[in-house]
Amino acid sequence: MLLQNRAVFSLGLRMCSTHVMKGPLTDTARPSSDMSEFRKAFAQAKHIAIITGAGVSAESGVPTFRGKNEKWRKWQSQDLATPEAFSRYPSRVWEFYHYRRELVLNKKPNAAHLAIAECEARLKKQGRSVVVITQCIDDLHQQAGSKHVLKIHGNLMETRCLSCGEVTVNRRSPICAALKGKGAPGPHVADAEIPVDKLPRCDESDCDGLLRPNVVFFGETLDSHILTNVEKEMEMCDLCLVVGTSSIVYPAAMFGPRVASRGVPVAEFNRSTTPKTEYFTYHFQGPCGTTLPAALAQHESEAF
């Protein structure tokens, strides 16, 4: 299974799995919850990689694809986030993403986002580095002030033209006139069935192609350039944090275990254990906005 998962990583396919791998990559004891021990590792680290998932954004009120938000109207959210769904039902999928965009536009970074950004800025002055590798498609990390962010699943606030390929930052609300007031998630809400020519269109001269959200749908390959940078960061880091992720969406679910296989300390911060918890050195249970600020605060060994 490990080789299969590495193949998934090399291909860069976004996949969801509930498979639990048997046996940790290294012969370690149960993950520790000793914050003082983690802080010693933090004080010594020069290159820190922080992998974040939907749980971080959820604490800002951004819904995930799971739990009570697993369905939008009568469809599974993950079934709408596919290239096949967008090809067959572009109006429905745009309503779904318009709903998500409008939610995100009104959200603010929480204590976890701010702690990560503050840590990055502080350690940079010491010649140390922090990189955020995020599965989140919102821009809350950037709003908090994080500079070194690798967004492996794309950006909800960007569009990509299916005709000319142009990628553009787009924070308009609504993104087009036809979507104004649309996208309500209730199970009895009917599709708006907006004509394709009224959906978001490209502004490039002589194009007018259909736009899609610049996110990675399930079953699509991740950006090879971003994956290459992720690979470099995972090989270079000497401390890794896995924050607010269920660790079931690949290839991101393998990032932490791959770092752990090098003998590098990996700390998981999550509301519950995950299929990958047993691979890690540390596990801190609870809201990320509560556990992370203390973990990333200035250490007594840092120069004032």
Side-chain angles (χ1 to χ4, degrees):
M1 185 65 189
L2 177 58
L3 291 177
Q4 179 182 338
N5 287 331
R6 284 180 173 165
V8 167
F9 177 87
S10 65
L11 289 171
L13 288 174
R14 185 182 182 190
M15 301 171 62
C16 185
S17 172
T18 55
H19 181 88
V20 179
M21 293 166 57
K22 301 297 184 181
L25 296 177
T26 55
D27 295 328
T28 59
R30 290 175 59 86
S32 169
S33 59
D34 188 332
M35 182 61 76
S36 64
E37 287 300 312
F38 168 81
R39 293 283 287 166
K40 291 177 184 177
F42 171 75
Q44 296 170 1
K46 302 296 183 184
H47 304 287
I48 302 173
I50 303 180
I51 302 163
T52 67
V56 177
S57 295
E59 292 184 26
S60 286
V62 178
T64 69
F65 277 147
R66 276 170 270 286
K68 64 181 181 180
N69 302 301
E70 195 168 11
K71 283 193 172 184
W72 176 83
R73 295 181 182 168
K74 58 184 178 182
W75 294 281
Q76 296 286 333
S77 295
Q78 291 184 21
D79 291 339
L80 294 170
T82 68
E84 294 80 13
F86 189 78
S87 177
R88 294 183 64 184
Y89 310 108
S91 174
R92 178 185 301 165
V93 175
W94 255 122
E95 276 199 88
F96 170 66
Y97 277 101
H98 173 65
Y99 163 70
R100 294 181 67 83
R101 279 172 55 92
E102 294 296 304
L103 280 175
V104 168
L105 281 168
N106 294 316
K107 304 306 179 186
K108 301 296 181 185
N110 60 56
H113 294 110
L114 296 172
I116 292 170
E118 190 279 332
C119 180
E120 178 189 357
R122 190 180 78 245
L123 296 194
K124 183 178 180 181
K125 297 175 183 177
Q126 304 171 24
R128 302 160 68 190
S129 69
V130 173
V131 60
V132 178
I133 301 168
T134 186
Q135 301 170 74
C136 301
I137 59 175
D138 55 64
D139 58 0
L140 293 175
H141 279 300
Q142 290 91 332
Q143 285 189 46
S146 290
K147 305 299 183 186
H148 192 183
V149 181
L150 298 175
K151 298 181 71 64
I152 64 172
H153 290 162
N155 190 337
L156 188 59
M157 295 303 153
E158 294 178 350
T159 56
R160 184 168 83 246
C161 178
L162 295 182
S163 297
C164 72
E166 181 73 13
V167 174
T168 306
V169 175
N170 189 322
R171 297 181 63 86
R172 289 198 295 262
S173 174
I175 190 170
C176 70
L179 281 167
K180 184 176 182 179
K182 307 300 182 185
H188 303 297
V189 177
D191 283 359
E193 297 185 357
I194 300 167
V196 174
D197 63 346
K198 300 299 183 183
L199 291 173
R201 312 297 298 193
C202 184
D203 290 332
E204 290 296 299
S205 59
D206 302 321
C207 183
D208 197 42
L210 176 64
L211 298 178
R212 58 163 278 180
N214 190 35
V215 299
V216 181
F217 290 145
F218 286 98
E220 290 186 324
T221 55
L222 277 62
D223 184 295
S224 60
H225 176 68
I226 292 177
L227 274 183
T228 297
N229 287 333
V230 168
E231 182 84 15
K232 290 177 181 177
E233 296 292 346
M234 288 196 303
E235 290 300 319
M236 184 173 65
C237 73
D238 52 6
L239 177 65
C240 179
L241 282 64
V242 180
V243 184
T245 174
S246 59
S247 291
I248 64 171
V249 177
Y250 288 81
M254 281 305 299
F255 294 170
R258 287 194 64 177
V259 173
S261 72
R262 293 198 291 112
V264 171
V266 179
E268 183 178 55
F269 295 78
N270 206 33
R271 287 181 176 270
S272 60
T273 58
T274 73
K276 300 296 186 288
T277 300
E278 62 179 327
Y279 292 76
F280 302 144
T281 317
Y282 305 99
H283 174 81
F284 299 102
Q285 196 153 321
C288 303
T290 301
T291 57
L292 205 57
L296 298 181
Q298 183 166 312
H299 190 268
E300 60 185 16
S301 64
E302 294 180 42
F304 288 89

